[in-house]
Amino acid sequence: MLPHEKALVERLKDKPFALIGINSDGDAAAVRKLLAEQGITWRNAIDVSTEGPWARAWNVSGWPTIYVLDSKGVIRFRDVRDAELEAAVNELLAELEAAK
Amino acid sequence: MRRSIHALFALAALGTLPGLSAREQAPAAAPAASTSGAPKPDEAALLAELEALNEEFEAAQQAFYAKLNELYAPYREREPSEAEAAELERKVKELYAQDPSKSFTPRYTALAKKAPGTPAAAKAWLRVVNIGGDDEAQFRGAVAVLLAEHLERAELTELASALAYTQLPPEFVRSTLGTLRSKSPQPSVQAAATLSLAIVLQREDVAQAKELYRELVAKFAALDAGWGGTYGEIATRALFELEHLQIGMVAPDFEASDENGVKFKVGDYRGKVVVLDFWGFW
């Protein structure tokens, strides 16, 4: 998952794309340390724990849980990983490009 | 920042007002009246026997998983070669042939049959349900006895919960849950059966699943589910997911704080394709 995400973020760094983590490993300081150790460059919402407010509100009970939103904020894919995630993002970027 | 999320919980809390209090659960059912004539089985001795069998089973299971772990250990850091993968598969299969659940199910069944209708029998049948999961005949047999002889017991909560996640025929699962929901006198069983039925139905009939979740919020809001909070909380979250988090819906927005303490919203990213990844290492 992680190497694939890093490649995705690197490849799309000049595109209208964002990967946002919602992390449940602790407070901001703990997560900052973790991100540095893992070489993660994208933004993370601090959810503190698996019982955090985001996880609760979005009824998350398994990790990772993935949602892919289009440029209008509409949920278009759920629980896609790796190659499927890549394809989903490519599809939505192509859609956005075509709409211009 | 958490205003919208608090609103969600407030909603769940509101649902608790007319509902049952968590303490209102009926006391554990009394043992079924012993039948006349037959020598009365010594309940304490049976429960002790069950306890010993449980300990033996858990030890056997631990040993089983330790062995399984050992087989996989060399390949945590590297991929097995083709030959190694084949060998691994063979050994795992061999080990699964001695899976303790296979040898213990008949022993629990025998114990249950010694003292029909007693709490010890109910507990033993529940064990059969829990460990004999992939043997349909065994599962159905145990469920039939539990429904016929132990329907009044609070312990059937375990059965009601287990039925949300089985590979059994949907018809059987639905009818069993229906019986538990309507015939059990125990709020904990009714609630667990309602939740399981909602989970099972969610795959095919969202409208009916929603209705069941609403029923949970209305009737069992404050009842503790043992995991994930109260039935009210679990059902409120499930409803939110069904109503706001499906494909084609605009993602709900919440304000978050990032690793540098900077606040942001998903809505700030309109115009971009966004991947939201709930993750953690823990």
Side-chain angles (χ1 to χ4, degrees), chain B residues 7-245:
Chain B
L8 194 70
F9 288 121
L11 211 73
L14 252 174
T16 68
L17 291 174
L20 289 154
S21 95
R23 307 268 166 267
E24 208 175 311
Q25 257 191 78
S34 59
T35 45
S36 57
K40 208 173 161 188
D42 181 349
E43 189 61 27
L46 279 169
L47 284 170
E49 198 182 324
L50 183 71
E51 194 52 43
L53 191 55
N54 286 346
E55 271 169 32
E56 202 187 319
F57 174 64
E58 268 133 39
Q61 230 184 358
Q62 259 176 26
F64 173 78
Y65 285 115
K67 275 188 205 156
L68 199 60
N69 220 359
E70 217 170 278
L71 289 180
Y72 282 105
Y75 310 116
R76 298 235 189 285
E77 303 294 322
R78 64 179 182 89
E79 292 285 313
S81 71
E82 215 165 290
E84 283 169 333
E87 175 72 357
L88 178 65
E89 196 188 330
R90 191 185 61 75
K91 283 187 173 161
V92 168
K93 238 186 213 162
E94 205 176 273
L95 183 62
Y96 264 99
Q98 307 153 33
D99 173 357
S101 64
K102 290 190 176 67
S103 56
F104 277 80
T105 309
R107 295 175 66 188
Y108 279 110
T109 306
L111 200 152
K113 284 181 174 167
K114 267 195 208 173
T118 63
K123 289 195 169 89
W125 285 122
L126 282 167
R127 279 277 168 164
V128 175
V129 164
N130 277 339
I131 66 180
D134 57 349
D135 185 329
E136 193 181 327
Q138 251 164 10
F139 195 106
R140 278 174 179 263
V143 168
V145 178
L146 284 166
L147 292 186
E149 298 176 12
H150 302 278
L151 193 53
E152 76 288 358
R153 291 185 202 285
E155 284 91 341
L156 264 60
T157 306
E158 208 181 302
L159 170 63
S161 298
L163 283 167
Y165 305 102
T166 65
Q167 304 296 317
L168 295 162
E171 281 308 312
F172 170 73
V173 170
R174 265 180 259 153
S175 79
T176 306
L177 287 171
T179 304
L180 290 169
R181 230 163 77 76
S182 58
K183 303 269 167 63
S184 168
Q186 302 283 350
S188 65
V189 177
Q190 295 165 8
T194 305
L195 177 58
S196 289
L197 196 56
I199 291 169
V200 169
L201 283 173
Q202 198 170 316
R203 292 163 219 150
E204 59 212 57
D205 187 346
V206 173
Q208 214 183 330
K210 278 192 199 171
E211 212 165 290
L212 291 167
Y213 284 125
R214 287 196 196 99
E215 187 184 322
L216 282 171
V217 173
K219 281 178 131 170
F220 304 106
L223 190 61
D224 188 1
W227 55 273
T230 66
Y231 284 103
E233 287 163 353
I234 292 170
T236 302
R237 291 202 297 269
L239 278 170
F240 187 82
E241 184 182 345
L242 287 176
E243 286 168 356
H244 299 284
L245 296 172

Side-chain angles (χ1 to χ4, degrees), chain A residues 5 25 44 59 69 71 75 78, chain B residues 241 245 248 271 277 279 282:
Chain A
E5 286 177 325
D25 281 311
N44 271 265
N59 203 27
L69 318 183
S71 62
I75 297 168
R78 287 172 51 152
Chain B
E241 184 182 345
L245 296 172
D277 176 11
W279 72 289
W282 4 283

Side-chain angles (χ1 to χ4, degrees), chain A residues 5 16-25 28 32 34-35 38 40 43-46 50 53-54 56-60 63-76 78 89 92 96, chain B residues 2 5 8-9 228-229 233-234 237-238 240-241 244-252 254-264 266 269-282:
Chain A
E5 286 177 325
F17 169 77
L19 172 58
I20 301 173
I22 294 112
N23 179 282
S24 49
D25 281 311
R32 251 193 334 265
L34 180 70
L35 299 180
Q38 297 291 329
I40 293 170
R43 191 174 216 181
N44 271 265
I46 306 303
T50 54
W54 272 72
R56 288 240 156 195
W58 285 56
N59 203 27
V60 175
W63 284 262
T65 285
I66 308 251
Y67 283 87
V68 186
L69 318 183
D70 67 17
S71 62
K72 297 187 175 70
V74 175
I75 297 168
R76 298 287 296 275
R78 287 172 51 152
V89 169
L92 295 181
L96 184 57
Chain B
R2 307 260 143 100
I5 292 145
L8 194 70
F9 288 121
E233 287 163 353
I234 292 170
R237 291 202 297 269
F240 187 82
E241 184 182 345
H244 299 284
L245 296 172
Q246 301 301 303
I247 287 171
M249 295 175 180
V250 175
F254 298 100
E255 202 173 38
S257 179
D258 73 10
E259 69 275 14
N260 298 313
V262 179
K263 290 186 160 64
F264 71 100
V266 182
Y269 288 83
R270 286 293 143 81
K272 291 185 177 183
V273 174
V274 174
V275 171
L276 293 178
D277 176 11
F278 290 82
W279 72 289
F281 275 118
W282 4 283

